Amino acid sequence: MVRSKIVAGNWKMNLTLSEAVALVNGILKNAPASEVKKLFFPPFIYISEVTSLIKGHSGFYAGAQNCSEYQSGAYTGEISAGMLKHLACDYVLVGHSERRNYFKETDTQLQQKITLALKNNLQIIYCVGETIHERKNNLQFDKVKKQIEKVLGAFNREEMTRIIIAYEPVWAIGTGETATPEQAQEMHEYIRVVLKEVFNETIAQTTPLLYGGSCNAQNAKELFSCKDIDGGLIGNASLKAEDFCKIIASF
Ligand code: PGA
C-alpha cells in the first residue's frame, strides 16, 4: 500500500490578504508537477480566497489551523468544523504545540475537535512532539506514545484512515534547529509501532506521517528520503513560494 506524499504549509498568524494571494499564485505557477499533495493552512479569514484560487488545480487543498470543539451556538469568536466544510476546506490541524501550549488545549478538547472534524468529513493532521526537556531526559517516546494513545485511542480504524500524524518536536518549531534525519526517522518508525499496538498493522503502515520543525528547502530532501517520513508540515518556509516549491520538489 502506497502512502500519500504530503507537503503542508502552516502559515500561522502571518501575511496580509494580498500577500496570501501572491503566495498561492506563485506556488500554483511554479510548483513542479508531481503526485505530492499540496496543502495550504491559511488563517481562517483567507480560506475562501485560497479555495477559490486553487479550484481546478489538482493536488492542491486548503485546510484550517484549528476548529472549535463545539458544534454550533453561543461561542463568540469560534469557527466550527461544519463552517469549514462549507468553505470547501478539506483538512484541519489539531493538537499543534502552539495550541496546546499557548491556548492550553487539553486532550479532551482535542478529541472533541477531531470528533467534529470527522463528522464534517474533514481530514485531520494531528500533531505530536516532545519538548527539549523531555528529549534531554529521554522521555520523547513516552510523550509521543501518550499523545497518540490518549487522543487517537478514542477513534476506530475507519476513522483513523482520515487522520494523518505530524511529528513536530517542540524544540525544532520555529527555532531553526531541525531534528536530524536519524532522530526523525527513529520517531516516525516508533509511531508506526504505537499505531500497530493501538490499532493494527494496516493502520500502522497506511497512516501518512509528516515531519515538522524547521523543515526547509535545504533539509527537506534528506528528511523525506527516510523510510517512514511521508512529507512535511512546514511553518516559516511555507511563506515563500520559491522555498515551498523547492520543498515539494524534494521527493
Ligand atoms: P516551522 O513550523 O517550520 O516554522 O518550524 C512548523 C510548524 O509549526 O508546523
Side-chain angles (χ1 to χ4, degrees), residues 10 12 96 98 168 172-175 212-215 233-237:
N10 174 13
K12 308 190 182 185
H96 191 282
E98 287 153 16
E168 299 203 303
I173 297 178
T175 59
S214 299
C215 183
L233 179 56
I234 323 292
N236 272 325

Side-chain angles (χ1 to χ4, degrees), residues 19-188:
E19 286 167 346
V21 170
L23 175 62
V24 174
N25 282 332
I27 293 168
L28 289 175
K29 202 166 143 217
N30 298 307
S34 76
E35 296 286 288
V36 178
K37 288 187 179 169
K38 281 97 30 192
L39 277 46
F40 295 120
F41 289 85
F44 287 126
I45 54 168
Y46 304 157
I47 292 174
S48 296
E49 191 68 32
V50 170
T51 56
S52 68
L53 289 170
I54 63 178
K55 202 171 175 185
H57 293 266
S58 80
F60 285 88
Y61 304 87
Q65 298 171 20
N66 183 27
C67 69
S68 176
E69 72 217 69
Y70 303 109
Q71 187 158 330
S72 65
Y75 300 102
T76 302
E78 290 291 278
I79 308 281
S80 74
M83 292 170 184
L84 295 172
K85 194 64 201 177
H86 282 288
L87 292 182
C89 181
D90 289 310
Y91 291 84
V92 64
L93 294 183
V94 176
H96 191 282
S97 64
E98 287 153 16
R99 303 286 327 165
R100 292 184 197 252
N101 297 335
Y102 305 149
F103 302 97
K104 306 287 172 234
E105 292 187 356
T106 63
D107 290 343
T108 309
Q109 286 173 305
L110 302 182
Q111 255 174 14
Q112 285 164 353
K113 287 170 190 241
I114 294 176
T115 301
L116 289 170
L118 288 168
K119 208 169 161 185
N120 286 284
N121 285 320
L122 294 168
Q123 291 194 59
I124 291 104
I125 297 185
Y126 175 64
C127 307
V128 297
E130 81 284 357
T131 62
I132 190 63
H133 176 77
E134 287 157 343
R135 180 158 282 266
K136 282 192 172 150
N137 289 284
N138 205 26
L139 295 170
Q140 66 271 27
F141 297 109
D142 289 351
K143 174 64 176 283
V144 167
K145 184 175 192 192
K146 280 203 188 93
Q147 287 176 322
I148 293 174
E149 283 177 345
K150 284 194 173 164
V151 175
L152 299 185
F155 300 97
N156 63 35
R157 290 174 199 159
E158 185 282 318
E159 289 166 328
M160 273 307 292
T161 64
R162 294 183 276 146
I163 299 177
I164 294 158
I165 297 176
Y167 168 58
E168 299 203 303
V170 179
W171 48 271
I173 297 178
T175 59
E177 193 183 336
T178 320
T180 63
E182 293 73 27
Q183 286 172 324
Q185 166 56 28
E186 186 184 31
M187 182 59 85
H188 283 67

